[in-house]
Amino acid sequence: MNEYIISCCSTADLSLEHFTKRDIHYLCYHFMLDDDTFPDDLGQSISLEEFYGKMADGAMTKTSQPNVEEYTNYFRPFLEEGKDILHLTLSSGISGAYNSACIAGDILREDYPDRTIYIIDSLAASAGYGLLIDAVADKRDEGLTIDELKEWTYKNLLFDNHWFFSTTLTYFIRGGRISKTAGTIGNMLNICPLMNVNSEGKLIVKEKIRSKRKVIKAIVDKMEELARDGLDYNGKCYISNSGCFEDARAVAELIEQRFTKLDGKVEIYNIGTVIGSHTGPGTVALFFWGSERTI
């Protein structure tokens, strides 16, 4: 059986320690903060606290995905070592990285015809993408071959549930996703949109809820409704947050009270600089295994 590696991108928003411990390889996206360019390297070049602080102070951000050349240069050393590759990309519903990775894979298959390269669209984002790649690592450690793991991933990725809320519409206005008038009124009314990622990997607003207290309850209610086995859910639960740890902790505490059979405590991560460039500070995202995602 050929040796293989599993891989994703930095936008899975797990910690450097987690990636290292689980032997998960990753490629960095990039972002600009005003006039300075950085790799999305899990807070090594700039801390997440500083990043979100600068955004709150008005700094402008832009992001860029790895291009074909970067993917080619990233994959090639593994192939040179005689290893096959299973790489999961950030959702094609929010990024063009899947296409770039596929083109790189096609180029490299010509140079390394004896190697296997699988590129999979995760249809996932942030620590939901992380929850999926972590489960892939579990299956690798159970001894699945790369072909078996590819099939398992395709069969299971849409059971990875993603729910988000934001306590401010400021960055939705800045990014042009809602009008300035609608966003200003929404902020005045304390509207906290509850969103999910659908079966196409796109972020969809599902409800407009007034007050942080109510949206925190609503997102946990969604987990109770959709989680595998309901309140008997015994899988992992991840939360990511953009500079609002106390809000994330409030969600985690409510989940741990309701779901007493969780696989360990709720794990809280930071939304990284790339996804955080679009959400801004004030977003909490919840991820768990549950009902299959639909449109």
Side-chain angles (χ1 to χ4, degrees):
M1 182 174 67
N2 288 331
E3 184 180 2
Y4 67 89
I5 65 104
I6 60 172
S7 171
C8 62
C9 290
S10 56
T11 42
D13 286 351
L14 300 178
S15 66
L16 176 60
E17 292 77 16
H18 194 121
F19 281 126
T20 302
K21 180 180 179 181
R22 298 308 315 273
D23 191 24
I24 298 169
H25 300 270
Y26 65 92
L27 177 63
C28 291
Y29 273 56
H30 314 279
F31 70 97
M32 288 186 66
L33 189 63
D34 286 333
D35 296 325
D36 297 319
T37 301
F38 301 90
D40 177 35
D41 56 3
L42 314 179
Q44 295 178 83
S45 294
I46 179 172
S47 72
L48 276 301
E49 182 180 12
E50 181 181 358
F51 172 76
Y52 286 118
K54 287 182 178 294
M55 282 194 77
D57 289 338
M60 300 302 294
T61 58
K62 291 178 63 176
T63 63
S64 62
Q65 66 196 34
N67 58 32
V68 173
E69 182 179 7
E70 287 174 292
Y71 272 115
T72 303
N73 292 339
Y74 168 69
F75 290 145
R76 189 179 296 277
F78 300 119
L79 302 170
E80 289 283 355
E81 293 171 6
K83 296 178 180 177
D84 297 330
I85 296 170
L86 187 146
H87 179 83
L88 276 66
T89 69
L90 178 64
S91 172
S92 62
I94 58 176
S95 168
Y98 175 67
N99 289 333
S100 296
C102 286
I103 294 170
D106 290 340
I107 292 169
L108 290 167
R109 288 185 191 97
E110 294 184 4
D111 295 339
Y112 301 90
D114 296 329
R115 298 268 63 81
T116 297
I117 307 169
Y118 290 137
I119 310 297
I120 297 176
D121 180 358
S122 73
L123 298 175
S126 191
Y129 181 16
L131 183 66
L132 177 60
I133 193 68
D134 193 69
V136 168
D138 287 339
K139 293 300 177 181
R140 173 204 60 197
D141 294 348
E142 290 174 12
L144 269 64
T145 67
I146 191 171
D147 294 312
E148 292 169 334
L149 189 52
K150 179 192 74 169
E151 293 305 314
W152 181 91
T153 304
Y154 277 122
K155 287 179 180 178
N156 287 276
L157 59 84
L158 285 179
F159 294 97
D160 179 6
N161 279 230
H162 294 52
W163 288 87
F164 303 73
F165 69 78
S166 180
T167 57
T168 176
L169 300 177
T170 299
Y171 303 93
F172 291 80
I173 300 169
R174 184 183 294 181
R177 282 167 288 174
I178 62 174
S179 70
K180 185 174 182 180
T181 300
T184 300
I185 293 172
N187 279 335
M188 290 175 60
L189 295 176
N190 200 19
I191 297 295
C192 300
L194 180 64
M195 302 162 275
N196 80 333
V197 171
N198 69 8
S199 60
E200 296 179 346
K202 297 178 180 179
L203 186 62
I204 305 296
V205 176
K206 304 296 287 189
E207 298 181 44
K208 298 174 182 178
I209 298 174
R210 291 188 67 174
S211 87
K212 181 165 62 177
R213 179 183 61 82
K214 289 181 180 179
V215 80
I216 286 173
K217 180 180 182 299
I219 200 171
V220 179
D221 288 344
K222 282 294 181 184
M223 182 172 174
E224 183 174 334
E225 174 190 345
L226 299 170
R228 186 179 58 211
D229 300 321
L231 291 175
D232 289 328
Y233 177 69
N234 62 0
K236 293 181 180 179
C237 178
Y238 287 178
I239 289 176
S240 57
N241 77 101
S242 55
C244 53
F245 178 82
E246 292 305 318
D247 294 341
R249 185 65 247 170
V251 174
E253 289 175 353
L254 189 54
I255 289 170
E256 289 167 357
Q257 289 170 13
R258 289 198 203 179
F259 297 85
T260 59
K261 298 180 181 180
L262 288 175
D263 181 4
K265 293 285 189 180
V266 175
E267 298 183 34
I268 301 177
Y269 294 96
N270 292 307
I271 294 176
T273 51
V274 168
I275 293 176
S277 291
H278 301 283
T279 68
T283 294
V284 174
L286 170 63
F287 312 101
F288 54 89
W289 295 100
S291 300
E292 187 171 9
R293 281 185 268 154
T294 57
I295 296 296

